Amino acid sequence: MDLDKLAKTANAMVADNKGLLAADESTGTMGKRLQSIGVENVESKRRDFRELLVRAKGLGQFISGVILYDETLRQKAADGTPMVKLMQGQRIIPGIKVDTGAKDLAGASGEKVTEGLDGLTERVAEYVKLGARFAKWRAVITIGPHLPSRHCQHVNAHALARYAKICQEGGLTPIVEPEVMMDGDHDIDRCDRVTTQTLNAVFDELFAQDVALEGMILKPNMVIAGTECKKQAGIDEVAERTVLCMKRCVPSAVPGLMFLSGGQSEEEATARLNAMNAKFGSTPWKLSFSYGRALQQSCLKAWKGDQANVAAAQAALLERARANSAACAGAYKKKAA
Ligand code: 13P
């Protein structure tokens, strides 16, 4: 294992107030996104959208890496240039989602386990040849009246560590993503407890399986109340609770925490990250972003599947990317409406 190389990539991912664009929606999930703007889920449309993302001029100033889905890593832009080459031209590091999705967990009603370990060693070797330098695996933890079960946290933590070790052996820096979902009416205290428990389970397994913490990135959820909870916490409370939770659970050897947005609005995701860095950010690791929806929502809406709207869509993406980069420095100011 080349730890220097893994750590170098991890540090580059969180360098200079930059973060990640998660554009690794599976074909099914991408279908939902395209449906929301009335566009058919066909390969050419998925390519057109992702091509406009990676061609946005100057994106590399704010975005260190883009997480791709298998199809995109192999894809060529409309003019025949490989997508990976377009990214490299902007000094953006290509990454790859390597899990094959969250499936129903046997014996645990309503809970999921993420699959994709079979053949992973071989796939990692191929992805490295195709130009990827980091990888992502997302585990899903659901909060409910009797959920999550310890069993679900344990199997997901085990799989995350197995994945991370395989990636490190194969030369890809792993993003370890245990997502505690926002769905439900639970309060912020409950999210805090479940996130703490989940992260403990994950780091236990990472230690047990000898994953090098210096050569990985953690992609956690923020500590927030469920979307249906009547009492929503303010920006500063979310920021403070999140940083405290991370300080309890995440060893200082991890170079960076790159949060997921998980269904927060674009503005919420930026403002909360900004508050963490502005007010509570004396931390051993960088606090950055790895947003999917919170970077792409307004861009997708501006595009509407029409070539004529590419410039407007790219401007919307760049605006969110710039805002989140500022949030990494605690220097974000909301634009007056
Ligand atoms: P969201 O920011 O939309 O949650 O997506 C991030 C991601 O990569 C989820 O795995």
Side-chain angles (χ1 to χ4, degrees):
M1 187 179 73
D2 185 348
L3 183 54
D4 277 356
K5 191 174 132 208
L6 299 170
K8 208 169 146 216
T9 302
N11 284 295
M13 289 159 77
V14 287
D16 307 327
N17 299 320
K18 290 180 193 173
L20 302 178
L21 165 62
D24 60 330
E25 297 86 357
S26 63
T27 301
T29 303
M30 197 56 204
K32 286 187 212 153
R33 306 276 187 268
L34 292 174
Q35 197 184 21
S36 74
I37 53 162
V39 171
E40 203 189 342
N41 187 16
V42 290
E43 197 204 329
S44 59
K45 287 295 181 188
R46 294 192 293 274
R47 179 204 61 204
D48 288 349
F49 182 62
R50 286 161 169 164
E51 179 176 343
L52 82 81
L53 297 177
V54 298
R55 275 195 197 273
K57 206 162 176 229
L59 189 67
Q61 233 182 297
F62 315 112
I63 297 293
S64 56
V66 178
I67 317 174
L68 303 172
Y69 187 57
D70 183 278
E71 175 180 273
T72 321
L73 186 69
R74 302 169 191 279
Q75 215 165 27
K76 290 189 168 70
D79 69 358
T81 314
M83 294 284 219
V84 167
K85 202 152 174 225
L86 290 179
M87 293 168 62
Q88 289 161 343
Q90 297 237 55
R91 298 188 171 280
I92 291 173
I93 310 170
I96 180 77
K97 184 230 293 292
V98 301
D99 68 65
T100 55
K103 307 284 161 59
D104 288 343
L105 173 61
S109 121
E111 298 194 288
K112 305 270 183 200
V113 62
T114 301
E115 298 189 347
L117 290 170
D118 288 353
L120 184 56
T121 305
E122 293 75 21
R123 284 195 291 131
V124 166
E126 191 193 1
Y127 288 144
V128 168
K129 278 198 199 124
L130 289 168
R133 285 176 47 201
F134 66 91
K136 180 191 109 170
W137 178 291
R138 169 177 175 256
V140 176
I141 304 294
T142 308
I143 298 183
H146 306 288
L147 303 182
S149 65
R150 286 288 184 152
H151 170 55
C152 173
Q153 287 170 313
H154 175 70
V155 293
N156 275 293
H158 187 266
L160 272 168
R162 288 261 286 128
Y163 137 82
K165 190 70 187 176
I166 291 169
C167 285
Q168 290 190 332
E169 293 275 324
L172 290 180
T173 298
I175 298 176
V176 172
E177 180 180 4
E179 176 174 3
V180 176
M181 302 285 279
M182 289 167 56
D183 307 312
D185 61 2
H186 55 273
D187 62 13
I188 192 168
D189 292 339
R190 182 127 165 79
C191 177
D192 196 348
R193 281 196 300 277
V194 172
T195 303
T196 299
Q197 225 177 45
T198 302
L199 289 174
N200 275 320
V202 168
F203 280 97
D204 246 17
E205 283 294 340
L206 293 172
F207 279 118
Q209 298 186 41
D210 198 26
V211 173
L213 302 185
E214 297 84 350
M216 62 162 268
I217 291 289
L218 180 72
K219 176 163 171 168
N221 52 282
M222 294 184 196
V223 173
I224 40 186
T227 36
E228 307 302 320
C229 179
K230 290 201 180 68
K231 195 168 163 248
Q232 290 293 323
I235 294 171
D236 284 355
E237 188 181 359
V238 169
E240 186 176 18
R241 298 287 296 258
T242 302
V243 171
L244 285 176
C245 176
M246 299 301 142
K247 281 185 174 171
R248 284 196 301 269
C249 303
V250 187
S252 53
V254 176
L257 277 49
M258 306 184 87
F259 289 93
L260 59 94
S261 62
Q264 302 177 53
S265 71
E266 292 181 333
E267 179 55 33
E268 282 168 343
T270 306
R272 290 164 173 170
L273 177 64
N274 184 65
M276 284 184 221
N277 281 305
K279 300 184 182 169
F280 311 101
S282 165
T283 55
W285 0 256
K286 294 278 187 70
L287 297 173
S288 177
F289 60 93
S290 173
Y291 293 159
R293 282 161 286 180
L295 275 168
Q296 296 181 68
Q297 243 156 32
S298 47
C299 171
L300 192 63
K301 269 200 198 135
W303 180 51
K304 298 186 197 79
D306 188 341
Q307 275 310 106
N309 297 328
V310 165
Q314 288 176 327
L317 171 69
L318 287 167
E319 187 182 323
R320 289 329 305 169
R322 181 182 286 108
N324 287 308
S325 170
C328 290
Y332 168 67
K333 296 227 169 14
K334 191 178 171 189
K335 248 195 185 163

